Amino acid sequence: MVQTSQQSSDDSPRLEESREHAESKESVLPRIMLVRHGETAWSAEGRHTGRADLPLTPDGLRESARLQLRLSRYSPDHVFTSPLLRARETAQQAGYSHAEVDEDLTEWNYGTLEGLTLEEIQQQMPGWSVFRNGGPRGESVEEVMARADRVVARLRLLPGNCLIFTHGHFSRALAARWCGLDFEICPYLMLRTTALSVLGYDRDLSRPAIHAWNVRESFPGS
């Protein structure tokens, strides 16, 4: 018993050193910062806003401007934005007016459900979920999954850190596909306006991971 205790004590510094080495290695791996756009009139009312190109509300502009401080510790090598106005305005207010527009970062096309609240949709289609049923006359689950996969494939080829201004449902789809998962996880990944989320890796590039999700109060890590 004494010998076992001594071995455990001797191993402690090596275990600590191993953990510190793993954390140091992880910190230099690429990270993807996702930013959901600021508030719009429809997001404030809980309305599904896909391709409707709405501007930010005054509150949305103010919360987006506060992103400058919240992102101040993050040094992205690449910055991308959805083509939709609410995402581009968020990027501009956050100090990233030079963000490159990527058409694949646009929000889900909800088709005939555009502008409706979840309650209104449930009255028409009980049990509906965009992550299971897609948007009627809009985008299917398979189409959005393919779009997210294209983004993931491009991101994996880029060196350094990325900053992305995009949307609520597409951010969840992107996080799922980053980790090689289907959309079953997406309903559990709630996301508020101007929330920050971080995608990255666990120890090496073969282990994609979600480092932080739906953070509003402060920067989730560098």
Side-chain angles (χ1 to χ4, degrees):
M1 294 295 293
V2 174
Q3 183 179 7
T4 301
S5 176
Q6 182 64 43
Q7 287 176 341
S8 176
S9 176
D10 291 345
D11 285 346
S12 295
R14 281 177 285 179
L15 290 172
E16 183 64 27
E17 182 181 346
S18 177
R19 181 167 63 248
E20 290 177 355
H21 176 73
E23 291 175 351
S24 175
K25 184 177 180 181
E26 184 177 293
S27 68
V28 301
L29 293 171
R31 291 196 176 184
I32 312 299
M33 173 76 77
L34 301 179
V35 183
R36 187 188 173 192
H37 63 78
E39 180 191 84
T40 68
W42 278 12
S43 70
E45 297 174 356
R47 298 189 178 278
H48 285 70
T49 317
R51 302 303 169 84
D53 210 7
L54 303 183
L56 299 181
T57 63
D59 282 345
L61 290 169
R62 283 190 290 269
E63 65 182 2
S64 296
R66 287 195 289 270
L67 285 168
Q68 290 192 39
L69 178 61
R70 294 168 60 205
L71 292 169
S72 61
R73 291 175 54 194
Y74 192 69
S75 300
D77 300 286
H78 314 276
V79 185
F80 303 99
T81 181
S82 157
L84 295 174
L85 180 60
R86 56 192 182 274
R88 290 188 288 109
E89 284 189 336
T90 302
Q92 292 164 4
Q93 292 295 311
Y96 293 95
S97 57
H98 64 286
E100 179 181 343
V101 172
D102 185 335
E103 297 290 335
D104 278 337
L105 295 174
T106 195
E107 182 58 296
W108 204 306
N109 183 347
Y110 303 117
T112 59
L113 305 180
E114 182 82 8
L116 300 182
T117 66
L118 183 58
E119 292 74 17
E120 291 169 338
I121 295 172
Q122 292 295 334
Q123 290 175 6
Q124 299 180 24
M125 305 171 62
W128 175 87
S129 167
V130 69
F131 297 112
R132 183 175 58 251
N133 308 111
R137 300 185 186 175
E139 280 185 298
S140 68
V141 169
E142 292 75 19
E143 287 171 326
V144 173
M145 188 174 289
R147 186 152 58 86
D149 284 347
R150 289 197 298 269
V151 174
V152 168
R154 291 197 294 271
L155 291 175
R156 294 208 194 282
L157 295 176
L158 293 175
N161 297 324
C162 295
L163 177 61
I164 294 176
F165 295 87
T166 184
H167 307 272
H169 280 152
F170 187 72
S171 289
R172 294 190 243 180
L174 186 60
R177 298 309 295 160
W178 176 263
C179 295
L181 303 174
D182 60 26
F183 286 175
E184 287 185 7
I185 190 178
C186 294
Y188 305 101
L189 298 175
M190 301 305 296
L191 200 58
R192 299 161 65 193
T193 54
T194 68
L196 308 179
S197 303
V198 182
L199 308 180
Y201 298 92
D202 177 13
R203 296 181 179 85
D204 62 63
L205 296 176
S206 70
R207 299 160 61 96
I210 299 175
H211 286 267
W213 192 261
N214 195 30
V215 178
R216 280 288 302 266
E217 292 75 18
S218 60
F219 180 75
S222 57

